[in-house]
Amino acid sequence: MDIPRNELKRALREGRPQIGLWSSLSSHITVEVIAGSGFDWLLLDTEHSPNELTMVHSQLQAMTGGSASAVVRPAWNDPVLFKRLLDVGVQTLLVPFVQTADEARRAVAATRYPPAGIRGVATTTRANRYGRVKDYLKRVHDEICVVVQLETRTALRSLEEIAAVEGIDGLFIGPSDLAADMGHLGDNANPEVRSAIDEAIRRIRAAGKAAGILAPVEADARRWLDLGCLLVAVGSDVGILARHSEALAAKFKQQPVEKR
């Protein structure tokens, strides 16, 4: 048996924009539904949602046969968390709150076996099809994709150094945390924040790496795609459920149903 191909990593290397959806509902049923909706990737979040390892495992299984690649955000830049996620078959990690090149190097090292890194070795896991991929240990690095999140002014100042770290495939802007760090908590649309994002995307592209961002407002998503962002999440399962359910309820609450 062979290692599953990381189609998302290949698309980023080839410069093909990849449209994604954030998944925070922590449900394998939800993931199964949206995995077949036509998105290129789904973000399975464990940082800001009540998602645990066994739940992520089920969500990865639920994505089988869908159009989307799985991207998982660990709760932190922690090699123990990475090891467990990699062993259940995660191939692309979105690492939160990376501010320096050293932190980026530590993230990459946690995804590589010795001597290139520090990932612990297990020989029968879902990642190697329970021991059926005989050359997994030698070839897996080719299919691992590491994307780091830049969420502070410190991270933006270190952008080129982070991008230069071997093994970093992409740099992903975190608009909400960046806005907060810039003194504009809850105001992602602030002109100063938007200008910083625009400039960061240009710098990421100039460094030869894939740029990414979460952009649930359509005009923002299209703007940043036009600037060359390749990894763009255009909404979330929570947002879709909340806003669409509110809109449906409002239609009927505003127009009382006639009694018969």
Side-chain angles (χ1 to χ4, degrees):
M1 300 185 75
D2 205 355
I3 303 171
R5 285 167 50 95
N6 191 331
E7 300 297 346
L8 182 66
K9 181 169 184 170
R10 284 168 172 75
L12 296 181
R13 282 184 171 177
E14 294 168 6
R16 291 185 278 121
Q18 299 293 285
I19 305 302
L21 189 75
W22 223 252
S23 181
S24 300
L25 287 173
S26 306
S27 165
H28 63 281
I29 297 173
T30 300
V31 166
E32 186 174 32
V33 173
I34 59 180
S37 296
F39 289 100
D40 298 307
W41 59 281
L42 299 182
L43 187 284
L44 309 181
D45 194 17
T46 74
E47 183 190 14
H48 287 298
S49 61
N51 221 356
E52 300 298 339
L53 180 67
T54 55
M55 299 158 70
V56 171
H57 188 176
S58 295
Q59 290 157 39
L60 295 173
Q61 292 171 323
M63 291 180 66
T64 303
S67 64
S69 296
V71 179
V72 177
R73 180 164 68 172
W76 195 243
N77 187 0
D78 182 328
V80 175
L81 298 179
F82 288 19
K83 174 173 57 179
R84 301 187 78 200
L85 291 168
L86 293 168
D87 282 351
V88 298
V90 175
Q91 292 184 306
T92 301
L93 293 170
L94 177 63
V95 184
F97 212 77
V98 171
Q99 299 196 88
T100 67
D102 185 56
E103 291 176 359
R105 279 189 287 270
R106 292 204 300 268
V108 173
T111 69
R112 267 57 173 173
Y113 290 119
I118 61 169
R119 179 182 174 187
V121 180
T123 56
T124 53
T125 66
R126 183 175 185 269
N128 68 8
R129 301 183 187 266
Y130 304 101
R132 297 183 179 106
V133 181
K134 301 307 179 184
D135 56 351
Y136 175 83
L137 298 177
K138 296 179 180 179
R139 296 179 47 213
V140 62
H141 298 167
D142 294 336
E143 304 301 336
I144 298 297
C145 181
V146 179
V147 181
V148 294
Q149 277 195 270
L150 310 184
E151 305 181 75
T152 65
R153 288 167 292 178
T154 298
L156 294 189
R157 286 193 292 269
S158 301
L159 189 154
E160 281 76 16
E161 290 81 6
I162 293 171
V165 172
E166 186 177 356
I168 294 296
D169 297 284
L171 288 79
F172 195 100
I173 308 298
S176 296
D177 284 294
L178 179 60
D181 186 68
M182 294 178 70
H184 303 293
L185 179 63
D187 185 12
N188 296 8
N190 183 278
E192 184 183 8
V193 177
R194 292 176 65 84
S195 177
I197 292 172
D198 288 353
E199 180 60 22
I201 292 170
R202 295 188 185 100
R203 290 167 62 196
I204 293 168
R205 292 192 64 204
K209 295 296 171 72
I213 196 164
L214 170 59
V217 176
E218 181 178 349
D220 291 342
R222 296 194 181 280
R223 171 189 178 86
W224 288 320
L225 281 164
D226 287 344
L227 279 178
C229 248
L230 295 182
L231 197 65
V232 181
V234 296
S236 70
D237 54 5
V238 173
I240 291 170
L241 180 61
R243 301 294 84 81
H244 283 256
S245 62
E246 290 164 358
L248 181 60
K251 286 182 181 180
F252 291 92
K253 298 291 283 187
Q254 291 169 2
Q255 298 178 0
V257 176
E258 182 179 340
K259 293 184 178 180
R260 294 186 179 179

